[in-house]
């Protein structure tokens, strides 16, 4: 077993809010999360797993935390025994995110959002955070109501997907929704259009749609017999 050695500290040492802790250092925030959210730090059995080291060997850091997300820097042991630090982005709420592909008489309703992270417009389905105390399907229906002002005639589950497992810890639950009316998409920096299912697939093939959730939802909806 490789002996523990001190790891370099992150250049980012942003303070984190962790309830009533007197010491609001990134390290104490990390220890608080280990105590209050143990499932975030589990490792499955077996070889070739990236393990998370624990105090007193070393400690991780909370680089950012707000009501929606938590950014962690974990001290890890790689399968070859090397020690390193890896970033993770987790949802602060236990309810999974949902994403909904609206279908109008077999056509696909898409929204065009300006995304800050990519600094580009992105053709997408609808998505949003889950709300506490209601089912996943009801959360999907709520996205339709909140973002389009419409009600689903039928909701079809399309499974779950990890949008970027390299850094994002949470999965997103995919749904298709049959609707009969289309309102205006609500929110800043949003445009919309309705296209034939085959045209939406062509947009994905030609790179007009690059959003991973939308591409996955189109593929799964086709496999589920929902196209056209």
């Amino acid at each position: 077993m490789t002996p523990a050695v001190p790891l370099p500290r992150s250049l980012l040492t942003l303070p984190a809010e962790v309830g009533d802790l007197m010491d609001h250092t990134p390290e104490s925030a990390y220890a608080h999360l280990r105590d209050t959210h143990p499932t975030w730090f589990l490792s499955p059995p077996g070889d070739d797993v990236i393990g998370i080291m624990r105090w007193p060997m070393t400690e991780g850091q909370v680089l950012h935390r707000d009501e929606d997300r938590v950014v962690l820097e974990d001290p890890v042991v790689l399968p070859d025994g090397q020690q390193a630090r890896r970033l993770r982005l987790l949802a602060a709420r236990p309810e999974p995110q949902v994403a909904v592909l609206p279908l109008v008489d077999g056509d696909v309703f898409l929204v065009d959002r300006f995304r800050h992270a990519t600094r580009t417009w992105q053709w997408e389905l609808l998505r949003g955070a889950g709300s506490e105390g209601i089912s996943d399907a009801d959360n999907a229906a709520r996205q339709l109501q909140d973002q389009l002002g419409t009600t689903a005639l039928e909701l079809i589950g399309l499974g779950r997907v990890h949008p970027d497992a390299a850094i994002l810890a949470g999965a997103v639950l995919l749904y298709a929704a049959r609707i009969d009316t289309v309102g205006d998409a609500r929110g800043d920096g949003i445009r919309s259009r309705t296209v034939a299912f085959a045209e939406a697939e062509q947009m994905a093939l030609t790179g007009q749609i690059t959003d991973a959730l939308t591409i996955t939802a189109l593929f799964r909806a086709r496999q589920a017999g929902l196209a056209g």
Side-chain angles (χ1 to χ4, degrees), residues 142-223:
R142 176 171 290 187
Q143 297 305 319
L144 288 167
Q145 184 63 48
D146 291 348
Q147 298 189 44
L148 291 184
T150 191
T151 301
L153 302 176
E154 181 185 9
L155 277 170
I156 304 100
L158 298 177
R160 62 202 298 257
V161 62
H162 287 93
D164 185 355
I167 191 168
L168 301 179
V172 178
L173 302 180
L174 297 181
Y175 288 86
R178 300 187 194 274
I179 60 177
D180 59 1
T181 59
V182 177
D184 293 329
R186 301 171 180 176
D188 296 331
I190 298 176
R191 303 178 294 211
S192 62
R193 64 183 292 196
T194 301
V195 301
F197 199 101
E199 182 179 350
E201 291 176 311
Q202 189 64 24
M203 291 172 67
L205 286 172
T206 58
Q208 296 176 70
I209 296 175
T210 60
D211 175 64
L213 292 179
T214 307
I215 293 171
T216 303
L218 287 169
F219 169 77
R220 292 186 180 177
R222 167 69 71 177
Q223 298 302 305

Side-chain angles (χ1 to χ4, degrees), residues 109-122:
F109 179 83
L110 297 171
V111 292
D112 195 17
R113 298 177 186 268
F114 187 83
R115 290 299 187 183
H116 168 68
T118 60
R119 305 302 301 160
T120 59
W121 289 90
Q122 297 280 333

Side-chain angles (χ1 to χ4, degrees), residues 124-141:
E124 302 176 354
L125 40 54
L126 305 181
R127 70 187 66 184
S131 298
E132 185 179 4
I134 65 176
S135 69
D136 297 328
D138 286 342
N139 272 318

